[in-house]
């Protein structure tokens, strides 16, 4: 049987060759765990290192892992091309844009091809100073001119411009369930987003240049994204690893001594993210070994253990919790029951989540 400590040791070794070499007694269990957490690409880096050091790895599993890692690399190459193509098209059509998470996050990893990609989330804006409602109408008209039947959500609209990659065009980068905190984070995002649309980076292998969020923006934005998915269906270690590298990268571009931490802590409290941030810090320290000097708030062990249990049970985006296998109606009530368990830790978000989700459901009906 593989213990959690063995998993954490293996993950740290995958990210840093100077870490202790893990002793693996059950390779199949390790492979399954990394698959459930969508970390197979990261895991194969560690497997290759161990094999090079003469550690015996079952050949069938090694070959299977190798094949999947090559597929992940190919997917990253495809995503880089599609991001560049999308950026060019949006710029040509008069939009300013910012690619959220995704390929911007992959650049933070030791190997930009080790991260398993998902879809393309892109924030777009055409008219400077437009309200959220005005921006939503501009984007909806733009997308539905070519794709009239595409699905819309409160945060984004699907943009099926590619057959092999899903694109979500965001009106707002993130949301909160509690209406007070949601208004606050929308005001924060409105003030921050124009700057993010000018933060250009070059993708791997000269695939092109795209705009991505700054490290300081990601500290709050990706934390709120983690919290949103935690109260939706769940999150996994892939998203936690993304945030780990956000904090590691931020340490190189901005100080994080007491004078910088205090305003950030006040900002997190104002946005309703402080308690969840403490739980995330526990995960990042326990799993990845994040240094205390890089933590944005003190770790919260009690809430962190609750979050850890949910991550281990559900895997990537709660896929293995059983929640996602039900119909929409059944899932609605199962989510309410699930979130009732979090009322003690996060009363504002847990109580408001079913109300916010119901309002979003009727909003989609009115705008489809």
């Amino acid at each position: 049987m593989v213990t959690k400590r063995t998993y954490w040791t293996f993950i740290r070794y995958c990210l840093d060759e100077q870490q202790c070499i893990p002793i693996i007694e059950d390779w199949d269990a390790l492979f399954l765990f990394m698959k459930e957490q969508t970390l197979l690409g990261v895991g194969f880096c560690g497997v290759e290192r161990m094999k090079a050091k003469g550690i015996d790895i079952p050949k069938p599993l090694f070959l299977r892992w190798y094949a999947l890692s090559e597929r992940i690399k190919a997917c990253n190459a495809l995503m880089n091309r599609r991001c560049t193509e999308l950026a060019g098209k949006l710029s040509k059509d008069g939009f300013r844009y910012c690619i959220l998470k995704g390929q911007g996050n992959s650049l933070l990893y030791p190997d930009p091809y080790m991260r398993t990609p998902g879809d393309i989330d892109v924030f777009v804006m055409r008219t400077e100073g437009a309200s959220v409602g005005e921006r939503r109408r501009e984007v909806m008209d733009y997308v539905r001119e070519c794709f009239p039947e595409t699905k819309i959500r409160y945060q984004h609209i699907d943009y099926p411009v590619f057959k092999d990659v899903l694109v979500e065009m965001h009106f707002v980068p993130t949301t909160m369930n509690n209406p007070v905190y949601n208004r606050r984070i929308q005001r924060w995002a409105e003030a921050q987003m124009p700057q993010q649309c000018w933060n250009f980076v070059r993708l791997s292998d000269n695939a092109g240049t795209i705009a991505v969020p700054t490290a300081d923006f990601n500290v709050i934005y990706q934390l709120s994204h983690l919290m949103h998915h935690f109260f939706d269906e769940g999150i996994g270690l892939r998203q936690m690893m993304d945030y780990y590298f956000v904090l590691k990268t931020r340490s190189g571009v901005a100080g994080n001594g007491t004078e910088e931490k205090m305003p950030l802590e006040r900002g997190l409290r104002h946005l309703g993210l402080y308690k969840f941030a403490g739980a995330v810090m526990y995960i990042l320290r326990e799993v990845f070994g994040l240094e205390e000097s890089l933590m944005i708030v003190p770790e919260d062990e009690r809430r962190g253990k609750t979050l850890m249990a949910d991550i281990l049970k559900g895997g990537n985006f709660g896929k293995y919790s059983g929640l996602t296998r039900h119909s929409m109606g059944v899932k609605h009530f199962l989510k309410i029951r699930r979130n009732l368990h979090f009322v003690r830790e996060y009363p504002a978000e847990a109580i408001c989540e079913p109300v916010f989700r119901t309002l979003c459901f009727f909003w989609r009906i009115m705008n489809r």
Side-chain angles (χ1 to χ4, degrees):
M1 180 179 178
V2 182
T3 64
K4 287 190 295 183
R5 184 59 55 190
T6 302
Y7 292 144
W8 310 159
T9 303
F10 177 73
I11 289 173
R12 294 186 191 187
Y13 181 71
C14 293
L15 301 179
D16 182 3
E17 193 172 3
Q18 303 305 314
Q19 296 287 327
C20 297
I21 300 176
I23 299 175
I24 309 299
E25 298 179 351
D26 189 338
W27 282 97
D28 290 330
L30 176 65
F31 177 87
L32 179 61
F33 174 80
M34 299 299 281
K35 179 183 177 182
E36 289 178 348
Q37 300 297 334
T38 320
L39 293 176
L40 286 176
V42 173
F44 190 70
C45 291
V47 168
E48 281 191 305
R49 288 173 182 167
M50 295 172 71
K51 189 173 181 63
K53 294 181 182 295
I55 295 175
D56 185 42
I57 301 169
K59 187 174 181 179
L61 183 138
F62 178 84
L63 293 175
R64 182 185 179 192
W65 211 327
Y66 168 77
L68 290 171
S69 71
E70 290 298 303
R71 187 182 301 174
I72 291 169
K73 291 178 182 178
C75 286
N76 274 295
L78 173 66
M79 292 292 287
N80 285 344
R81 294 196 302 271
R82 294 293 181 255
C83 282
T84 303
E85 292 168 10
L86 179 64
K89 178 173 175 53
L90 291 174
S91 297
K92 180 181 177 181
D93 292 340
F95 284 96
R96 292 169 63 185
Y97 74 92
C98 177
I99 304 293
L100 304 170
K101 309 184 307 298
Q103 296 314 100
N105 276 351
S106 71
L107 295 174
L108 308 180
Y109 281 60
D111 178 350
Y113 290 98
M114 72 195 307
R115 179 184 181 272
T116 302
D119 51 20
I120 299 177
D121 295 89
V122 56
F123 173 85
V124 289
M125 57 188 300
R126 175 177 271 169
T127 304
E128 188 74 29
S131 67
V132 174
E134 292 169 336
R135 185 165 62 245
R136 181 180 283 115
R137 176 51 56 186
E138 285 181 339
V139 177
M140 286 172 59
D141 291 344
Y142 173 77
V143 172
R144 287 184 165 169
E145 183 178 353
C146 297
F147 307 101
E149 301 300 323
T150 190
K151 295 180 180 180
I152 189 171
R153 300 288 187 273
Y154 176 76
Q155 304 97 323
H156 59 77
I157 186 170
D158 291 349
Y159 184 35
V161 65
F162 304 122
K163 293 182 178 180
D164 49 9
V165 173
L166 175 64
V167 177
E168 295 178 350
M169 300 261 276
H170 280 252
F171 323 117
V172 295
T174 186
T175 58
M176 300 284 285
N177 295 320
N178 181 279
V180 174
Y181 293 137
N182 190 46
R183 282 196 297 271
R184 289 177 181 177
I185 205 162
Q186 297 312 324
R187 287 198 294 266
W188 172 82
E190 285 295 303
Q192 297 290 326
M193 285 314 301
Q195 177 187 354
Q196 313 312 310
C197 296
W198 293 107
N199 185 49
F200 293 98
V201 297
R202 182 165 293 279
L203 293 170
S204 307
D205 295 333
N206 295 317
T209 301
I210 60 172
V212 301
T214 62
D216 285 340
F217 178 86
N218 272 333
V219 168
I220 292 179
Y221 160 63
Q222 292 201 31
L223 182 65
S224 69
H225 179 74
L226 289 172
M227 188 170 183
H228 174 80
H229 278 289
F230 173 65
F231 284 103
D232 185 20
E233 294 178 343
I235 53 175
L237 287 181
R238 186 193 70 163
Q239 291 75 40
M240 290 294 168
M241 186 175 288
D242 281 353
Y243 200 64
Y244 167 78
F245 281 116
V246 164
L247 296 188
K248 293 284 284 188
T249 304
R250 178 175 177 267
S251 69
V253 298
N256 50 15
T258 303
E259 66 278 9
E260 286 87 5
K261 283 187 175 183
M262 289 178 65
L264 178 58
E265 287 191 11
R266 286 197 296 269
L268 294 173
R269 291 183 187 277
H270 180 71
L271 296 172
L273 295 168
Y274 185 86
K275 293 177 181 178
F276 187 72
V280 172
M281 293 307 103
Y282 172 84
I283 300 292
L284 299 191
R285 194 266 305 164
E286 183 77 5
V287 178
F288 307 109
L290 182 72
E291 302 94 320
E292 185 177 354
S293 62
L294 300 184
M295 293 183 179
I296 56 175
V297 299
E299 63 178 288
D300 186 328
E301 183 175 356
R302 179 172 64 84
R303 291 186 175 90
K305 287 182 176 179
T306 299
L307 178 58
M308 179 76 83
D310 195 68
I311 288 173
L312 294 178
K313 177 184 178 182
N316 189 55
F317 287 135
K319 181 180 178 181
Y320 298 92
S321 66
L323 182 65
T324 59
R325 293 195 294 267
H326 295 280
S327 64
M328 183 179 297
V330 174
K331 191 188 299 184
H332 175 79
F333 291 102
L334 289 178
K335 284 183 179 181
I336 293 176
R337 187 178 70 176
R338 174 181 179 271
N339 286 328
L340 286 176
H341 292 96
F342 306 135
V343 169
R344 181 165 170 249
E345 283 92 352
Y346 313 100
E349 286 295 293
I351 292 172
C352 292
E353 193 279 334
V355 178
F356 181 74
R357 180 155 38 87
T358 302
L359 291 175
C360 287
F361 172 76
F362 287 109
W363 184 92
R364 289 200 306 271
I365 292 177
M366 296 172 60
N367 289 273
R368 63 185 178 185

